[in-house]
Amino acid sequence: MSGRSCNTLATHRKYRDSHPQNEQQRAASLEGDAWLCTSWPQLLPHPCHHHTGDMAARRVAVIGAGASGLCALKCCLDEGLEATCFERSKDIGGLWRFEEHPEDGRASIYRSVIINTSKEMMCFSDFPIPEDFPNYMHNSKIMEYFRMYAQHFDLLRHIRFRTSVCRVSKRPDFASSGQWEVLTESEGKQEAAVFDAVLVCSGHHTNAHLPLGSFPGLEKFEGCYLHSRDYKNPQPFFGKRVVVVGIGNSGIDIAVELSHTAKQVFLSTRRGSWVLHRVADNGYPFDYNYGTRFLHLVQNVVPKSILNFFMEWKLNARFDHTLYGLKPKHGVLDTHPTVNDDLPNRIISGRVRMKPNVQEFTETSAIFEDGTREDVDVIVFATGYSFSFPFLNGCVKVVENEIPLYKFMFPTDLEKPTLAFIGLIQPWGAIMPISELQSRWAIRVFKGLNKLPLQHDMEADIEQKKKAMAKRYVKSQRHTVQVDYIPYMDELACQLGVKPNLLSLFLTDPRLAMEMAFGPCTPYQYRLRGPGAWAGAREAILTQHQRMVSALQPRAARRPARPSALPHVLTVLFSIGMIMATLIYVSLSA
């Protein structure tokens, strides 16, 4: 698959709804896709082939048409199921669709949001992102990709927009049928329908977590305050003195953006943070460099203290986190990653000033725990989100963002496994491929092709994961659904029967095996074999470097692809080896 032909194909199939077509134009456009499918069959998965066979579940309700809902819907159609997606808003995209005003019950982003995962790591596994798209995409580009995906797989006709799900409840005969009654509302009219299974894809960034009681004096503050969910752009803050409370990804992004227009920005944090950057060694995307199977193996072998030391050394080489007032007490791997390339520049120029936690507010100022006081006009609380599912009618219980789900998907106490949550995770990595693999497995469970363990075994697995999270991560509401990308994807792949066999590949296809072992662990790896295998997966893996480079250099399609990722891996190994040798020498000398 040449990079140029991939780009031509992607350009051809871009979302046509942005340019209204009559029936004749649409037919001609679809003919073009048909020609390309015939000419380049290895490049493009066929839209939703319907497989026949006995099915325990036939009608599936998909709740939400964001990133998780779209791939869940597509996976249902791939398996020949009759799926209906309910979306309360007017359009697809969920979290990634920017709107000027926040909408109740829907995630909300600011205009400038750029994703923190690179395109090769975040794409759906049988639909590569075009090579001319940037490696880190603005939300508008992500929406363009989603529209291409929905268009190509003909998903829109299965989505009921402006339709809210009011209640999902078991049918009286649920113990034998596993069926659900779904009550929806659209334009003031309610409607009930029966479904054989339900996929909940509504996400976990809808309800703002605003702990106002933790900040004494806020009730007498004369300025204004808002949650980061309500922040849209920096213009209203021109000439203001702003304190941003919280140092997650939204908090840092907003502080950096406000520093260009506000009079002064203060960034308040309780515990500090290690700040990763999108641009890594040699200018490659961070996750593209470090999200490899080989480095995951190293991570399992090398003690976590050594890994933390190595990563902290790398991050401090860029800027000293202690000097910049950011260094936390915890290690890099002990919390969800915070990513921003611009913060050190804004701190060194004085546009952002670091502050400890807010002790209290007065009418016109914030008093911090170090005793300093700063006059402020506006407070932005970047304090995260909580999630709940009131429409589930007591079927699941959420307590402080903790919900007992097997593999973060299945409730354990249902007589029939016909309810699953998709995308209710917070990964070290991209969520889109995870949601897709979750959907592929869930649908096979719905159809009775894969079985879940006994209830007590599932509960034991949940408890084990809960203890592992508590041991590794700083205690926080954001660390209740945390997963690591490669281990969790492999765990799901084992359930589904699609985990790649590297040993076999080294014997039969060594070129592919080398790229899979030492290159980035891209989603295409989970389409090589088993249910849902895609004929274009091998070529997509072997050309992923070309697509990454082409986004930076439009003429790069003419350049030969990189032979392998081995040199970068050897550099990392040498660095780790030097650090371990130094630590051993120090310990022996003590």
Side-chain angles (χ1 to χ4, degrees), residues 240-476:
K240 305 285 187 182
R241 294 172 64 87
V242 184
V243 58
V244 179
V245 179
I247 200 170
N249 288 297
S250 295
I252 290 183
D253 281 356
I254 291 171
V256 166
E257 183 169 81
L258 284 175
S259 69
H260 292 277
T261 55
K263 185 176 181 180
Q264 182 63 60
V265 175
F266 305 98
L267 182 54
S268 170
T269 170
R270 282 183 299 170
R271 59 173 75 100
S273 179
W274 295 104
V275 180
L276 282 64
H277 39 282
R278 295 186 179 96
V279 183
D281 303 340
N282 301 313
Y284 288 1
F286 187 93
D287 55 352
Y288 190 94
N289 265 2
Y290 292 97
T292 72
R293 288 191 174 277
F294 183 78
L295 290 181
H296 169 62
L297 176 63
V298 171
Q299 184 176 334
N300 287 337
V301 174
V302 177
K304 193 179 82 166
S305 59
I306 301 294
L307 292 172
N308 272 325
F309 184 88
F310 170 71
M311 292 189 70
E312 290 164 20
W313 170 70
K314 289 281 287 184
L315 295 176
N316 280 326
R318 184 166 179 256
F319 70 92
D320 189 320
H321 281 60
T322 301
L323 182 64
Y324 279 63
L326 285 163
K327 184 179 180 180
K329 293 181 180 179
H330 58 262
V332 180
L333 298 174
D334 299 342
T335 186
H336 186 73
T338 300
V339 182
N340 192 281
D341 290 74
D342 301 323
L343 181 62
N345 293 329
R346 307 314 292 169
I347 293 176
I348 202 169
S349 63
R351 303 305 300 154
V352 172
R353 290 173 55 190
M354 295 304 303
K355 289 288 183 179
N357 195 37
V358 175
Q359 180 174 300
E360 65 174 307
F361 290 102
T362 69
E363 290 84 350
T364 59
S365 64
I367 301 174
F368 300 94
E369 289 183 347
D370 61 358
T372 59
R373 177 194 295 255
E374 300 289 350
D375 291 337
V376 294
D377 305 301
V378 182
I379 308 164
V380 180
F381 288 103
T383 46
Y385 295 85
S386 59
F387 56 83
S388 61
F389 307 96
F391 55 83
L392 282 175
N393 207 27
C395 291
V396 294
K397 186 178 181 181
V398 182
V399 178
E400 295 183 345
N401 278 12
E402 289 190 3
I403 179 171
L405 298 173
Y406 178 61
K407 307 297 184 190
F408 300 96
M409 292 174 60
F410 292 99
T412 61
D413 56 352
L414 296 178
E415 298 93 329
K416 297 284 184 179
T418 55
L419 173 69
F421 292 78
I422 304 299
L424 189 60
I425 36 91
Q426 182 164 266
W428 259 80
I431 194 171
M432 290 80 165
I434 292 178
S435 293
E436 182 189 41
L437 198 52
Q438 285 181 328
S439 300
R440 291 168 64 189
W441 179 39
I443 291 159
R444 302 278 292 183
V445 171
F446 292 165
K447 293 177 67 175
L449 300 174
N450 290 113
K451 303 293 185 183
L452 296 184
L454 297 173
Q455 180 176 349
H456 66 83
D457 292 331
M458 291 193 286
E459 290 172 348
D461 183 81
I462 292 170
E463 188 61 27
Q464 183 270 328
K465 283 181 167 54
K466 183 178 178 181
K467 289 179 179 178
M469 257 189 289
K471 181 179 180 181
R472 171 176 168 181
Y473 290 104
V474 174
K475 183 173 175 58
S476 168

